[in-house]
Amino acid sequence: MALTGRAALLAALGSLPVGIWEPSWTGILAVNAPLAVACACDFALAAPVRRLGLSRSGDTSVRLGDTADVTLTITNPSRRPLRARLRDAWPPSSWQPGTETTASRHRLTVPPGERRRVTTRLRPTRRGDRQADRITIRSYGPLGLFSRQGTHRAPWTVRVLPPFTSRKHLPSKLARLRELDGRTSVLTRGEGTEFDSLREYVPGDDTRSIDWRATARQSAVAVRTWRPERDRHILLVLDTGRTSAGRVGDAPRLDASMDAALLLAALASRAGDRVDLLAYDRKVRALVQGRTAGDVLPSLVNAMATLEPELVETDARGLTATALRTSPRRSLIVLLTTLDAAPIEEGLLPVLAQLTQRHTVLLASVADPHITEMSKARGNVDAVYEAAAAAQAQSDRHRTAEQLRRHGVTVVDATPDDLAPALADAYLALKAAGRL
């Protein structure tokens, strides 16, 4: 088999007539001089790295769990061909574990005066902004004996957005909304509803909906149907304090709260309501106000992308004051926070009346499904102890929820998978009851 490149050169150099047992400067130079000349030529023929031009294009945002392609364009202005290996460095959370080596390293050849593109495929594992780091390029000569190496920077940022996994529930909730919106007859009335139409009475209808004047003018009993008012105001309040950092499954509670808030925002905007967002712990972390129905969901997703739990105790008084300033008119305030006894009893309950006397308040909390599993454990002493501890934890949550309900707060307590649809159902129930 014929040898080429570096192997052929080394084989040729190894065949020079050198006295193996009689080392001398003459013999050493006889071998090393051709090798040194070859290395020098190889180095001289390697394309320079510093003069390369680099630019980026591609995706600037991606949902968590999806892939983003960022293209790097390399321009070779020199008169020598570029034979190189390239490493496009990004933060470790930009890749799935174990895939960085194959995803970030590229081989390329760029003829003189031309350009080539390489694409780095990111699959982030965390929300937030991922910023490109250094680009390391190693340029080789034609024999591969010597190389030049240098680094460049081509700034680029990819924003990793919340995955919004609960959007699969949106079609069913919109169908229920269409029923409430008067497209299908609805037998509800109350404060905050508008008269829609008359129809014939059927057994089971609420007798309070009978229109006696209309009934007197016709031979059948007529009932009024109602539709919920539009243009209501909803303020989503995300608690980003220390309790939101607790992990339930593979994600912090904050992520489940954000997913539920996105589903409610999508549903409410379709219902014609105005949706704002406030993220707060001891100061405002995000605030989205005054967005149109078509722009509210992208704005919320973008604002939530960079939110992280803060390891501080939430200032309930500050949160309440900020919520009141943000919503001066009567609104539905949705608190996505914890149901733990201490933060509620010591923080929220003393200031809750300031919210409930002016607004309708709905509190949504993420429950840990592992607690339910523990409560069913039996078989040995440890299992029984875990079951007793889980039962105590559940009892504390139920007691806290009852305290809130006595203050007029609607409480939703559900696991991460069930929280979003449960919160949407609670919103639809309030809308059907005319409480918005």
Side-chain angles (χ1 to χ4, degrees):
M1 181 182 297
L3 298 176
T4 59
R6 190 189 318 185
L9 177 63
L10 294 177
L13 292 174
S15 64
L16 292 175
V18 180
I20 299 178
W21 302 107
E22 297 179 1
S24 64
W25 286 109
T26 303
I28 293 173
L29 290 175
V31 175
N32 290 342
L35 181 59
V37 171
C39 290
C41 292
D42 204 42
F43 178 78
L45 294 175
V49 174
R50 292 184 179 180
R51 295 174 55 192
L52 297 176
L54 289 93
S55 62
R56 291 188 186 272
S57 61
D59 296 329
T60 56
S61 64
V62 61
R63 289 195 181 277
L64 184 65
D66 294 341
T67 58
D69 291 337
V70 179
T71 300
L72 187 64
T73 302
I74 301 96
T75 303
N76 180 16
S78 72
R79 299 180 179 180
R80 309 167 203 163
L82 174 68
R83 308 170 185 87
R85 293 181 181 180
L86 180 149
R87 179 176 181 263
D88 189 7
W90 289 74
S93 58
S94 304
W95 330 86
Q96 293 291 328
T99 63
E100 177 184 0
T101 300
T102 56
S104 64
R105 288 169 169 78
H106 309 275
R107 289 178 177 269
L108 72 155
T109 301
V110 185
E114 297 188 14
R115 66 184 63 181
R116 293 292 184 269
R117 294 182 176 90
V118 295
T119 299
T120 300
R121 175 158 292 181
L122 309 178
R123 192 179 181 90
T125 58
R126 293 180 58 188
R127 289 181 295 102
D129 290 340
R130 299 292 170 267
Q131 297 181 345
D133 202 347
R134 294 173 299 176
I135 302 166
T136 303
I137 301 176
R138 182 172 292 176
S139 172
Y140 291 91
L143 299 177
L145 295 175
F146 233 91
S147 64
R148 304 169 183 260
Q149 180 168 310
T151 59
H152 289 261
R153 290 189 180 274
W156 194 260
T157 300
V158 175
R159 173 156 290 188
V160 187
L161 307 174
F164 193 15
T165 55
S166 63
R167 64 182 178 273
K168 61 187 177 184
H169 299 290
L170 187 57
S172 63
K173 305 309 175 187
L174 289 175
R176 174 60 180 153
L177 177 63
R178 285 191 289 270
E179 294 179 358
L180 296 181
D181 205 21
R183 301 176 197 177
T184 304
S185 297
V186 181
L187 306 178
T188 61
R189 68 174 291 179
E191 180 186 358
T193 57
E194 296 177 346
F195 172 75
D196 182 38
S197 61
L198 293 171
R199 64 170 178 79
E200 187 176 345
Y201 174 86
V202 295
D205 286 350
D206 190 344
T207 56
R208 293 176 298 175
S209 295
I210 296 176
D211 190 317
W212 296 107
R213 291 186 179 181
T215 300
R217 294 193 298 267
Q218 58 188 29
S219 58
V221 177
V223 296
R224 296 184 293 268
T225 61
W226 307 82
R227 64 173 181 267
E229 290 184 3
R230 289 176 171 267
D231 199 31
R232 301 297 90 188
H233 180 238
I234 299 172
L235 177 63
L236 303 172
V237 181
L238 282 174
D239 179 358
T240 55
R242 65 168 184 83
T243 56
S244 67
R247 300 188 72 84
V248 178
D250 295 331
R253 283 186 168 90
L254 180 60
D255 285 25
S257 297
M258 289 193 299
D259 193 54
L262 289 174
L263 179 62
L264 179 55
L267 181 62
S269 61
R270 297 286 187 92
D273 293 334
R274 294 174 294 110
V275 182
D276 292 341
L277 170 72
L278 170 65
Y280 192 94
D281 41 73
R282 288 187 174 274
K283 65 179 182 180
V284 176
R285 301 293 178 178
L287 181 61
V288 178
Q289 287 181 289
R291 298 296 192 273
T292 61
D295 188 46
V296 63
L297 200 60
S299 298
L300 294 184
V301 168
N302 192 59
M304 291 177 180
T306 56
L307 287 178
E308 294 293 343
E310 301 292 332
L311 300 182
V312 295
E313 196 71 40
T314 299
D315 178 11
R317 293 186 180 276
L319 185 149
T320 301
T322 305
L324 291 173
R325 287 196 303 269
T326 307
S327 302
R329 295 172 50 194
R330 180 172 180 82
S331 308
L332 170 63
I333 295 183
V334 182
L335 295 174
L336 294 121
T337 184
T338 182
L339 261 182
D340 294 346
I344 294 295
E345 294 176 355
E346 299 174 10
L348 183 60
L349 283 179
V351 296
L352 188 58
Q354 300 177 32
L355 293 176
T356 54
Q357 68 182 1
R358 187 188 304 179
H359 304 290
T360 301
V361 180
L362 192 160
L363 186 144
S365 180
V366 182
D368 191 345
H370 184 60
I371 300 296
T372 304
E373 297 174 5
M374 289 174 56
S375 66
K376 300 176 182 177
R378 299 294 187 274
N380 55 51
V381 174
D382 291 340
V384 172
Y385 179 83
E386 289 183 356
Q392 179 65 43
Q394 290 175 329
S395 176
D396 291 342
R397 290 179 73 87
H398 293 159
R399 179 174 56 82
T400 304
E402 284 302 318
Q403 286 182 291
L404 291 168
R405 291 188 181 101
R406 286 196 293 270
H407 285 78
V409 177
T410 302
V411 178
V412 175
D413 186 22
T415 61
D417 292 338
D418 298 330
L419 182 65
L423 180 59
D425 288 339
Y427 162 77
L428 291 173
L430 291 173
K431 207 167 185 64
R435 293 181 56 190
L436 297 187

